[in-house]
PDB file of all heavy atoms in Angstrom:
ATOM      1  N   ARG F  23      23.019   0.563  -5.361  1.00  0.00           N
ATOM      2  CA  ARG F  23      24.359   0.872  -5.868  1.00  0.00           C
ATOM      3  C   ARG F  23      24.589   2.370  -6.000  1.00  0.00           C
ATOM      4  O   ARG F  23      25.704   2.812  -6.290  1.00  0.00           O
ATOM      5  CB  ARG F  23      24.564   0.198  -7.231  1.00  0.00           C
ATOM      6  CG  ARG F  23      24.426  -1.315  -7.203  1.00  0.00           C
ATOM      7  CD  ARG F  23      24.761  -1.923  -8.563  1.00  0.00           C
ATOM      8  NE  ARG F  23      26.172  -1.747  -8.874  1.00  0.00           N
ATOM      9  CZ  ARG F  23      26.685  -1.770 -10.104  1.00  0.00           C
ATOM     10  NH1 ARG F  23      25.881  -1.922 -11.156  1.00  0.00           N
ATOM     11  NH2 ARG F  23      27.980  -1.609 -10.300  1.00  0.00           N
ATOM     12  N   THR F  26      24.602   7.651  -2.708  1.00  0.00           N
ATOM     13  CA  THR F  26      24.090   8.264  -1.473  1.00  0.00           C
ATOM     14  C   THR F  26      23.106   7.385  -0.698  1.00  0.00           C
ATOM     15  O   THR F  26      22.568   7.829   0.317  1.00  0.00           O
ATOM     16  CB  THR F  26      23.405   9.610  -1.792  1.00  0.00           C
ATOM     17  OG1 THR F  26      22.269   9.376  -2.629  1.00  0.00           O
ATOM     18  CG2 THR F  26      24.373  10.564  -2.467  1.00  0.00           C
ATOM     19  N   LYS F  49       4.293  16.076   6.005  1.00  0.00           N
ATOM     20  CA  LYS F  49       2.841  15.984   6.260  1.00  0.00           C
ATOM     21  C   LYS F  49       2.163  14.870   5.459  1.00  0.00           C
ATOM     22  O   LYS F  49       0.967  14.950   5.156  1.00  0.00           O
ATOM     23  CB  LYS F  49       2.129  17.323   5.973  1.00  0.00           C
ATOM     24  CG  LYS F  49       2.779  18.534   6.616  1.00  0.00           C
ATOM     25  CD  LYS F  49       2.842  18.432   8.126  1.00  0.00           C
ATOM     26  CE  LYS F  49       3.499  19.672   8.724  1.00  0.00           C
ATOM     27  NZ  LYS F  49       3.710  19.553  10.185  1.00  0.00           N
ATOM     28  N   VAL F 125      -3.419  -8.193   1.167  1.00  0.00           N
ATOM     29  CA  VAL F 125      -2.988  -8.828  -0.078  1.00  0.00           C
ATOM     30  C   VAL F 125      -3.282 -10.321   0.010  1.00  0.00           C
ATOM     31  O   VAL F 125      -3.540 -10.859   1.087  1.00  0.00           O
ATOM     32  CB  VAL F 125      -1.484  -8.604  -0.366  1.00  0.00           C
ATOM     33  CG1 VAL F 125      -1.170  -7.132  -0.527  1.00  0.00           C
ATOM     34  CG2 VAL F 125      -0.620  -9.230   0.725  1.00  0.00           C
ATOM     35  N   SER F 133       3.971 -20.496  -0.810  1.00  0.00           N
ATOM     36  CA  SER F 133       3.308 -21.689  -0.272  1.00  0.00           C
ATOM     37  C   SER F 133       4.305 -22.671   0.342  1.00  0.00           C
ATOM     38  O   SER F 133       4.011 -23.321   1.344  1.00  0.00           O
ATOM     39  CB  SER F 133       2.508 -22.383  -1.377  1.00  0.00           C
ATOM     40  OG  SER F 133       3.355 -22.825  -2.418  1.00  0.00           O
ATOM     41  N   GLU F 175     -13.900   2.325  42.383  1.00  0.00           N
ATOM     42  CA  GLU F 175     -14.702   2.453  43.603  1.00  0.00           C
ATOM     43  C   GLU F 175     -15.748   1.349  43.693  1.00  0.00           C
ATOM     44  O   GLU F 175     -15.968   0.778  44.773  1.00  0.00           O
ATOM     45  CB  GLU F 175     -15.389   3.825  43.619  1.00  0.00           C
ATOM     46  CG  GLU F 175     -16.192   4.088  44.885  1.00  0.00           C
ATOM     47  CD  GLU F 175     -16.777   5.480  44.921  1.00  0.00           C
ATOM     48  OE1 GLU F 175     -16.345   6.339  44.117  1.00  0.00           O
ATOM     49  OE2 GLU F 175     -17.666   5.721  45.748  1.00  0.00           O
ATOM     50  N   ASP F 189     -19.264 -15.144  16.513  1.00  0.00           N
ATOM     51  CA  ASP F 189     -19.677 -16.531  16.270  1.00  0.00           C
ATOM     52  C   ASP F 189     -19.783 -16.705  14.761  1.00  0.00           C
ATOM     53  O   ASP F 189     -20.858 -16.613  14.177  1.00  0.00           O
ATOM     54  CB  ASP F 189     -21.007 -16.835  16.966  1.00  0.00           C
ATOM     55  CG  ASP F 189     -21.361 -18.315  16.929  1.00  0.00           C
ATOM     56  OD1 ASP F 189     -20.513 -19.111  16.451  1.00  0.00           O
ATOM     57  OD2 ASP F 189     -22.464 -18.673  17.359  1.00  0.00           O
ATOM     58  N   SER F 218      -6.294  -4.888  -8.500  1.00  0.00           N
ATOM     59  CA  SER F 218      -6.974  -4.181  -9.582  1.00  0.00           C
ATOM     60  C   SER F 218      -7.678  -5.129 -10.543  1.00  0.00           C
ATOM     61  O   SER F 218      -8.215  -4.695 -11.554  1.00  0.00           O
ATOM     62  CB  SER F 218      -5.974  -3.312 -10.354  1.00  0.00           C
ATOM     63  OG  SER F 218      -5.427  -2.312  -9.514  1.00  0.00           O
ATOM     64  N   LEU F 225     -13.632  -6.938  -4.038  1.00  0.00           N
ATOM     65  CA  LEU F 225     -13.209  -6.997  -2.636  1.00  0.00           C
ATOM     66  C   LEU F 225     -13.003  -5.586  -2.091  1.00  0.00           C
ATOM     67  O   LEU F 225     -13.415  -5.273  -0.970  1.00  0.00           O
ATOM     68  CB  LEU F 225     -11.908  -7.797  -2.515  1.00  0.00           C
ATOM     69  CG  LEU F 225     -11.296  -7.889  -1.113  1.00  0.00           C
ATOM     70  CD1 LEU F 225     -12.220  -8.649  -0.158  1.00  0.00           C
ATOM     71  CD2 LEU F 225      -9.921  -8.561  -1.162  1.00  0.00           C
ATOM     72  N   ARG F 248     -13.782   5.479 -11.687  1.00  0.00           N
ATOM     73  CA  ARG F 248     -15.241   5.532 -11.815  1.00  0.00           C
ATOM     74  C   ARG F 248     -15.868   4.157 -11.635  1.00  0.00           C
ATOM     75  O   ARG F 248     -16.958   4.030 -11.044  1.00  0.00           O
ATOM     76  CB  ARG F 248     -15.607   6.138 -13.174  1.00  0.00           C
ATOM     77  CG  ARG F 248     -15.223   7.620 -13.270  1.00  0.00           C
ATOM     78  CD  ARG F 248     -15.242   8.138 -14.692  1.00  0.00           C
ATOM     79  NE  ARG F 248     -14.793   9.537 -14.738  1.00  0.00           N
ATOM     80  CZ  ARG F 248     -14.463  10.190 -15.848  1.00  0.00           C
ATOM     81  NH1 ARG F 248     -14.534   9.558 -17.025  1.00  0.00           N
ATOM     82  NH2 ARG F 248     -14.074  11.444 -15.807  1.00  0.00           N
ATOM     83  N   LYS F 265     -10.786   5.928  -0.584  1.00  0.00           N
ATOM     84  CA  LYS F 265      -9.806   6.806  -1.216  1.00  0.00           C
ATOM     85  C   LYS F 265      -8.965   5.977  -2.187  1.00  0.00           C
ATOM     86  O   LYS F 265      -8.376   4.957  -1.804  1.00  0.00           O
ATOM     87  CB  LYS F 265      -8.890   7.449  -0.172  1.00  0.00           C
ATOM     88  CG  LYS F 265      -9.622   8.163   0.962  1.00  0.00           C
ATOM     89  CD  LYS F 265     -10.501   9.295   0.467  1.00  0.00           C
ATOM     90  CE  LYS F 265     -11.227   9.965   1.634  1.00  0.00           C
ATOM     91  NZ  LYS F 265     -12.168  11.003   1.180  1.00  0.00           N
ATOM     92  N   LEU F 301      12.486  -8.180 -14.638  1.00  0.00           N
ATOM     93  CA  LEU F 301      11.420  -8.177 -15.630  1.00  0.00           C
ATOM     94  C   LEU F 301      10.680  -9.514 -15.642  1.00  0.00           C
ATOM     95  O   LEU F 301       9.461  -9.552 -15.863  1.00  0.00           O
ATOM     96  CB  LEU F 301      11.992  -7.871 -17.008  1.00  0.00           C
ATOM     97  CG  LEU F 301      10.981  -7.590 -18.115  1.00  0.00           C
ATOM     98  CD1 LEU F 301      10.053  -6.446 -17.736  1.00  0.00           C
ATOM     99  CD2 LEU F 301      11.697  -7.282 -19.430  1.00  0.00           C
ATOM    100  N   ILE F 340       2.871  -0.950 -21.477  1.00  0.00           N
ATOM    101  CA  ILE F 340       3.893   0.105 -21.478  1.00  0.00           C
ATOM    102  C   ILE F 340       4.806  -0.066 -22.687  1.00  0.00           C
ATOM    103  O   ILE F 340       5.113   0.894 -23.409  1.00  0.00           O
ATOM    104  CB  ILE F 340       4.715   0.063 -20.176  1.00  0.00           C
ATOM    105  CG1 ILE F 340       3.869   0.506 -18.991  1.00  0.00           C
ATOM    106  CG2 ILE F 340       5.968   0.931 -20.293  1.00  0.00           C
ATOM    107  CD1 ILE F 340       4.537   0.270 -17.646  1.00  0.00           C
ATOM    108  N   GLY F 361       5.842  -0.591 -12.951  1.00  0.00           N
ATOM    109  CA  GLY F 361       4.513  -0.695 -13.524  1.00  0.00           C
ATOM    110  C   GLY F 361       3.587   0.441 -13.151  1.00  0.00           C
ATOM    111  O   GLY F 361       2.500   0.573 -13.717  1.00  0.00           O
ATOM    112  N   VAL F 390       3.396   7.741  -3.066  1.00  0.00           N
ATOM    113  CA  VAL F 390       4.573   8.324  -3.696  1.00  0.00           C
ATOM    114  C   VAL F 390       5.783   7.412  -3.494  1.00  0.00           C
ATOM    115  O   VAL F 390       6.105   7.014  -2.373  1.00  0.00           O
ATOM    116  CB  VAL F 390       4.852   9.719  -3.114  1.00  0.00           C
ATOM    117  CG1 VAL F 390       6.124  10.303  -3.696  1.00  0.00           C
ATOM    118  CG2 VAL F 390       3.663  10.640  -3.393  1.00  0.00           C
ATOM    119  N   LEU F 433     -15.890   6.843  11.043  1.00  0.00           N
ATOM    120  CA  LEU F 433     -15.510   6.041  12.210  1.00  0.00           C
ATOM    121  C   LEU F 433     -16.349   4.772  12.239  1.00  0.00           C
ATOM    122  O   LEU F 433     -17.580   4.837  12.290  1.00  0.00           O
ATOM    123  CB  LEU F 433     -15.737   6.848  13.493  1.00  0.00           C
ATOM    124  CG  LEU F 433     -15.330   6.194  14.803  1.00  0.00           C
ATOM    125  CD1 LEU F 433     -13.813   6.172  14.930  1.00  0.00           C
ATOM    126  CD2 LEU F 433     -15.942   6.948  15.983  1.00  0.00           C
TER     127      LEU F 433
END
Side-chain angles (χ1 to χ4, degrees):
R23 301 185 67 202
T26 63
K49 311 300 180 186
V125 298
S133 62
E175 183 176 345
D189 189 5
S218 297
L225 177 64
R248 292 165 183 167
K265 307 300 179 184
L301 190 56
I340 290 170
V390 176
L433 183 73

